[in-house]
Amino acid sequence: MTLDMGIVLGILAVAVVLFVTEWVRLDVVALAVLAALAVTGQVSADQALSGFSSPAVVTIWGVFILSGGLAHTGIASTIGRWVIRFGGDGEVRLVTVVMLTGAAMSAFMNNVGVAALLLPVVMEVARRTGRAPSRLLLPLAFGTLLGGMTTLIGRAPNLVISASLEGATGEPFSMFDFARIGLPLVVAGVAFMVLAGRRLLPERDPVRESQRADLPRLYRLFADLSFVHVPAASSLDGVTLHDARLGAALGIDVIGIFREGGTEWAPGPGSVLRSGDRLLVRGALDRLWELRGTEYLSVADDDLPVERLVSADIEIAEIPCRPRCPFVGRTLRELDFRNVHGVIVLAIRSGNATIRTDLETRRLQAGDRLLVQGTAEQLADLSAQPDVEVRRVDRADAYRLEERLTAVTIPPGSALAGQSLAESRLGEDFGLGVMGIVRGGDTTLMPGPGTRMRVGDTLLVKGRRETLAGVEGLRGLEVDETATADTGALESDDYGMAEVVLSPRTGLAGRTLRDLRFRERHGLMVMAISREGEILRAGLRDLPLRFGDALLLYGPRRRLEALAEEADFLVLTAEAHPPVDRMRAPVATAIMTAFVASVLFGWLAVPVAAVAGAVLMVVTGCLSMDQAYRSIEWPAVFLIAGMLPMGIALQESGAVAWITERTLAAIGDGSPLLVVAGLYLVTALSAQVIPTLATAILMAPIALHLADGLGLSPQALLMTVAVAATTSFMTPIGSPVNVLVMGPGGYRFRDYVRVGLPLTLVCMVITLVLIPVAWPLQG
């Protein structure tokens, strides 16, 4: 092994680890591979950037736009609904129709888009027929994967494989060459699911999935709904929901406010509470019962001067956020600012505005200034960091901190007595930052999270006076234990519920609803989350979101429709989908037909036809340019563009030849069919944990070298790679489509293995039988 081979294989090994673990986004990994190969001299600058001009990349984004045009004009959803609704009530017939519909549409559309369009339809059919969605959603996912194998444009790996063949022989695969293997695989896949696979599918709580199932019943909301009364002369009178902090402090969401004159459903953070209001709330009331027990905090009347926050050891300083500052673009919570740096952020100055509350979730911008409190040593450590400037200030009048500084005491019997600051959650629940504690005449500034409070302590806190007053108001809330909530009243012409899942292209996985300020941003509340068959209703604000989660949302229907337009979410409830432009459906159909015909009859090269079709979709108004950009799966584009140089490096470094020599030595005089079987197994197993695009890019040069070394048909071996890369059935991470159905179907990891493993073996047998027939192994 040469040094160059070692460098290339080392970069490949690191990339594979990152692909499998997903510690870093897949597209970022691909671009890092590109950069590493160029920096180490394994590829030239032109070779490193060649992926962006590759015909495969151009064709892929063109086809994405064509698919988007079919979706935005309603063609795809209309076809899907029309076909699936003729599936009857029997499970055999339903599974057959769902799989064939998904396969047929995926032959010409992005399979993730097809699954997203058909998900609401399939779920509606499942509920109408009294079946659990888990009986139909995995067949839908597998059908779209198999259908993508029937045409050149069906899946991105097909285009990559075709480009590899063209580079080696001068002739690419034609539009329907893939159908020689793909169509029999679709038939075999459907037959397997009907005869055996459906018996392996889970059936979780079919009763709760019946009828459009009252989404409240599906998510078991009845147990969490209660009525709470705001008593007369309450200190909450005139306080907004945001300042009352019912969600943060009590862990409950206000679904409706009932008062004389009408009901306000799905109230926003700015909705004002009034004495006498009856609140329909969702969530456990344990925290409220705890607060009602005794007096919590006693608020002093006098303002607290800023000078009380400074001592011989504690200083106040200002940190300007310059464009290169490492804090720009992130929130204090994401930076874990207090724990990492030890200082407290008192306020943020942004332009002429001063922000003194809810600082943790505000995303810092260039030009912001942070007012911080800390020791001289902590401030010196901060200023030593690259691109961080710390300025000591004597006065902070511009921040008007006096308006937010107050002294409160711990009265006898308070639930806070004996708790540490961390245990009290004063910051998280009430937005109160404890700047210091006065005990026995001594003042301790910047107490640590482990500092315990005692009766008689005076806390120097930063926060809204309205919030402090609201603490007593929360204690006075009365629970109506006799009233029961009618969940049917939650939905009307203006308000409703919808299920959504995280889109495969989202960047929100791993973040919490609190970090995202979900309710403030979207005007919708998350009522529950379905994760791997389990319904989660408590602690949702601080629960990191995962791919495959299904979220039950409640709010104005116009807000639900607006959410359906965002790339981060896929709305499963059909009623929440925005209207489509059916007037241009014939135009979109004609454009797609012309694209297929021009490729089929050889009038235009595939990339040229794809770009021309994409342009026509925009020019004719089938979708706007912004919608066209949103239709493109950009991570897939960057994944191909970034990984194609790895294929070049593997060949030019001699790594492919080295791998092939050892493979040939291991095979010896084995039959060509044994080579095909081995290639299929390696590719299929890789596709379960590595993106199928990356798998195809990495395996294509190896297949070509094996073909050259053994005198086998390159078409046969490359087609084997294409098929095997498609059979990512055995893990939810094998394909975005698998992740997409995971939450709505309540699937667990083992469900994919139980159904996907035998299906992969069926596809392998079909491939080994048909490949030698379609392309003789030895010519």
Side-chain angles (χ1 to χ4, degrees):
M1 179 185 293
T2 66
L3 177 61
D4 285 342
M5 290 166 54
I7 292 173
V8 172
L9 292 176
I11 294 172
L12 176 60
V14 173
V16 169
V17 170
L18 293 177
F19 281 143
V20 173
T21 59
E22 295 187 349
W23 291 334
V24 182
R25 281 178 51 132
L26 303 182
D27 46 352
V28 175
V29 175
L31 293 176
V33 167
L34 181 156
L37 292 172
V39 169
T40 57
Q42 301 307 309
V43 293
S44 67
D46 289 342
Q47 289 173 326
L49 301 177
S50 63
F52 291 99
S53 60
S54 164
V57 170
V58 174
T59 303
I60 285 168
W61 63 253
V63 170
F64 281 144
I65 295 176
L66 286 166
S67 298
L70 296 180
H72 281 88
T73 53
I75 296 171
S77 58
T78 300
I79 293 174
R81 290 173 186 276
W82 185 79
V83 173
I84 288 179
R85 283 175 178 169
F86 279 91
D89 295 334
E91 186 170 87
V92 170
R93 189 172 172 183
L94 280 173
V95 169
T96 302
V97 170
V98 164
M99 290 191 71
L100 289 178
T101 303
M105 294 174 66
S106 294
F108 301 100
M109 290 181 63
N110 173 17
N111 63 341
V112 176
V114 171
L117 287 170
L118 294 182
L119 255 175
V121 183
V122 174
M123 293 189 72
E124 182 72 23
V125 169
R127 290 166 182 162
R128 176 177 55 80
T129 58
R131 300 184 186 282
S134 59
R135 305 293 296 175
L136 299 177
L137 291 183
L138 210 54
L140 169 65
F142 291 170
T144 63
L145 290 174
L146 291 168
M149 194 57 229
T150 58
T151 66
L152 174 65
I153 63 172
R155 296 204 70 197
N158 299 0
L159 293 164
V160 171
I161 292 298
S162 181
S164 297
L165 179 64
E166 184 175 17
T169 67
E171 283 291 329
F173 286 116
S174 69
M175 173 67 82
F176 292 106
D177 275 347
F178 290 84
R180 303 187 199 180
I181 308 298
L183 284 177
L185 285 178
V186 170
V187 173
V190 172
F192 166 78
M193 291 301 296
V194 166
L195 299 175
R198 66 187 182 90
R199 306 180 194 281
L200 303 174
L201 291 168
E203 184 165 2
R204 300 198 172 95
D205 255 335
V207 173
R208 70 179 179 89
E209 302 283 357
S210 62
Q211 336 223 355
R212 188 187 170 278
D214 298 316
L215 284 174
R217 184 188 306 172
L218 170 62
Y219 282 85
R220 302 196 290 275
L221 294 184
F222 294 99
D224 281 347
L225 296 181
S226 310
F227 278 102
V228 173
H229 182 251
V230 181
S234 170
S235 60
L236 292 178
D237 187 272
V239 176
T240 65
L241 281 178
H242 176 273
D243 290 336
R245 303 185 73 86
L246 276 79
L250 303 181
I252 58 178
D253 291 313
V254 179
I255 297 173
I257 301 176
F258 297 77
R259 65 169 63 116
E260 290 186 13
T263 300
E264 181 181 1
W265 292 107
S271 296
V272 178
L273 296 174
R274 298 295 180 191
S275 295
D277 284 349
R278 291 178 70 234
L279 311 179
L280 176 61
V281 300
R282 184 207 65 81
L285 301 179
D286 300 357
R287 185 75 167 136
L288 176 58
W289 293 120
E290 178 184 325
L291 274 180
R292 285 173 56 85
T294 58
E295 189 176 6
Y296 203 67
L297 287 171
S298 178
V299 183
D301 295 329
D302 298 331
D303 288 336
L304 182 68
V306 178
E307 287 73 19
R308 292 290 297 274
L309 303 182
V310 180
S311 68
D313 301 319
I314 305 296
E315 302 176 9
I316 292 179
E318 190 177 66
I319 302 176
C321 291
R322 304 195 185 282
R324 296 181 60 184
C325 177
F327 308 147
V328 171
R330 305 182 67 187
T331 67
L332 296 177
R333 187 187 300 277
E334 291 170 352
L335 293 166
D336 197 14
F337 203 86
R338 175 72 192 277
N339 291 329
V340 171
H341 303 291
V343 301
I344 296 175
V345 179
L346 302 174
I348 299 175
R349 186 84 172 163
S350 181
N352 295 322
T354 300
I355 301 126
R356 290 157 296 187
T357 54
D358 298 322
L359 305 179
E360 289 287 308
T361 55
R362 186 186 186 280
R363 200 161 294 280
L364 300 177
Q365 302 173 2
D368 286 352
R369 287 171 288 162
L370 311 183
L371 186 69
V372 300
Q373 176 197 43
T375 65
E377 182 181 359
Q378 290 167 340
L379 296 175
D381 289 342
L382 257 176
S383 64
Q385 294 195 24
D387 300 312
V388 176
E389 179 186 355
V390 179
R391 304 170 181 167
R392 265 64 170 189
V393 295
D394 296 325
R395 299 183 61 82
D397 297 342
Y399 290 87
R400 305 198 312 275
L401 287 181
E402 287 83 356
E403 299 174 12
R404 293 289 184 265
L405 296 177
T406 310
V408 298
T409 60
I410 307 295
S414 170
L416 295 175
Q419 289 187 4
S420 69
L421 292 177
E423 292 167 346
S424 71
R425 295 181 60 86
L426 286 172
E428 293 86 344
D429 292 353
F430 298 103
L432 302 176
V434 180
M435 306 289 103
I437 298 178
V438 180
R439 179 181 297 162
D442 297 326
T443 301
T444 302
L445 294 179
M446 296 185 64
T451 303
R452 296 196 174 275
M453 294 171 284
R454 300 177 186 173
V455 172
D457 282 352
T458 297
L459 310 182
L460 312 180
V461 301
K462 178 176 70 72
R464 291 178 180 269
R465 282 187 169 274
E466 296 90 340
T467 300
L468 290 166
V471 174
E472 287 304 305
L474 294 178
R475 291 183 61 251
L477 290 175
E478 301 169 352
V479 180
D480 187 346
E481 300 185 70
T482 61
T484 56
D486 176 15
T487 55
L490 296 179
E491 300 201 69
S492 65
D493 291 340
D494 298 321
Y495 293 90
M497 295 186 186
E499 290 174 289
V500 305
V501 293
L502 292 185
S503 162
R505 71 185 74 171
T506 186
L508 304 184
R511 301 180 65 185
T512 67
L513 296 173
R514 189 194 296 268
D515 292 337
L516 298 172
R517 299 177 66 86
F518 187 88
R519 187 166 183 180
E520 291 87 345
R521 179 181 174 188
H522 298 290
L524 301 166
M525 62 180 71
V526 179
M527 307 281 280
I529 295 177
S530 174
R531 174 175 292 174
E532 298 182 15
E534 182 182 359
I535 303 298
L536 308 175
R537 298 189 302 276
L540 302 183
R541 283 180 182 79
D542 298 308
L543 186 71
L545 298 176
R546 295 184 193 168
F547 284 116
D549 284 349
L551 283 64
L552 177 64
L553 305 181
Y554 176 69
R557 293 194 184 276
R558 58 183 177 81
R559 293 278 195 168
L560 294 170
E561 290 181 4
L563 193 72
E565 292 282 359
E566 296 210 7
D568 288 315
F569 300 97
L570 295 175
V571 178
L572 306 184
T573 307
E575 293 89 337
H577 282 202
V580 294
D581 187 4
R582 299 189 187 279
M583 292 290 292
R584 288 184 170 82
V587 177
T589 303
I591 292 172
M592 192 66 182
T593 303
F595 163 70
V596 174
S598 65
V599 174
L600 182 62
F601 294 109
W603 298 334
L604 291 174
V606 178
V608 175
V611 173
V615 171
L616 286 173
M617 284 289 187
V618 175
V619 170
T620 57
C622 294
L623 73 174
S624 68
M625 199 63 204
D626 287 339
Q627 291 171 327
Y629 281 128
R630 288 199 296 269
S631 298
I632 299 173
E633 296 281 350
W634 289 108
V637 171
F638 283 106
L639 182 62
I640 298 174
M643 289 302 295
L644 281 177
M646 173 57 76
I648 297 173
L650 285 170
Q651 294 186 57
E652 295 198 351
S653 68
V656 169
W658 183 79
I659 294 171
T660 304
E661 288 172 5
R662 276 142 188 79
T663 304
L664 293 175
I667 294 174
D669 296 327
S671 70
L673 198 59
L674 181 62
V675 175
V676 174
L679 187 63
Y680 185 101
L681 279 175
V682 172
T683 306
L685 291 175
S686 299
Q688 309 308 318
V689 292
I690 300 176
T692 53
L693 269 173
T695 301
I697 291 170
L698 296 175
M699 294 302 297
I702 295 175
L704 286 172
H705 271 260
L706 281 173
D708 184 58
L710 294 172
L712 301 180
S713 163
Q715 290 87 349
L717 296 195
L718 283 175
M719 185 60 69
T720 300
V721 170
V723 173
T726 298
T727 59
S728 49
F729 305 127
M730 293 189 287
T731 66
I733 62 174
S735 167
V737 177
N738 292 351
V739 176
L740 193 61
V741 302
M742 190 174 189
Y747 296 117
R748 300 187 175 96
F749 194 97
R750 63 174 179 268
D751 296 324
Y752 292 87
V753 178
R754 187 167 55 208
V755 184
L757 177 58
L759 179 56
T760 301
L761 295 176
V762 168
C763 291
M764 180 178 175
V765 171
I766 298 295
T767 302
L768 294 180
V769 171
L770 294 181
I771 284 285
V773 176
W775 293 277
L777 295 180
Q778 292 177 312

